[in-house]
Amino acid sequence: MYRILIVEDDLVIAKTLCVHLQKWNLEARYVREFDDILSQFVAYAPHLVLLDLSLPFYNGFTWCTKIRELSKAPIIFLSSASDELNIVTAMHMGADDF
């Protein structure tokens, strides 16, 4: 079963994504502690990361770079801040899509 890690600080959105992904028989978990997302990533070893841009402590760009240093798992940004600069920056930091 594919594991998907959701990095979203809005609990309603995170839980909703989990529910919908589980309906498709995917294993999904959302991050609860935002000060060390990398250790949660390593422990869960997801096949895909859904990453928000605006997060507590460090933004999604930072976590994307750190995850990319350890893994080739696809990283997709899910954010309402979809202006061109954010999209280009995300791709430059190692994201696969925005």
Side-chain angles (χ1 to χ4, degrees), residues 17 24 98:
L17 282 169
W24 287 88
F98 195 102

Side-chain angles (χ1 to χ4, degrees), residues 78-92:
L78 293 179
S79 179
S80 61
S82 59
D83 60 78
E84 281 188 43
L85 180 59
N86 284 332
I87 295 169
V88 170
T89 303
M91 298 307 189
H92 180 71

Side-chain angles (χ1 to χ4, degrees), residues 8-76:
E8 168 61 65
D9 60 330
D10 184 318
L11 193 56
V12 173
I13 294 172
K15 285 182 176 181
T16 302
L17 282 169
C18 272
V19 168
H20 285 289
L21 290 168
Q22 289 166 354
K23 287 179 182 177
W24 287 88
N25 294 319
L26 299 166
E27 184 179 327
R29 178 186 297 178
Y30 57 90
V31 168
R32 291 177 173 89
E33 303 285 329
F34 292 92
D35 57 339
D36 189 13
I37 292 169
L38 198 58
S39 65
Q40 295 172 74
F41 172 84
V42 170
Y44 189 53
H47 296 100
L48 172 68
V49 178
L50 300 179
L51 181 61
D52 189 16
L53 181 58
S54 179
L55 298 166
F57 301 104
Y58 301 102
N59 65 28
F61 297 140
T62 301
W63 292 117
C64 181
T65 302
K66 290 180 182 287
I67 290 169
R68 190 52 72 220
E69 290 173 359
L70 300 176
S71 174
K72 298 275 187 207
I75 301 170
I76 300 175

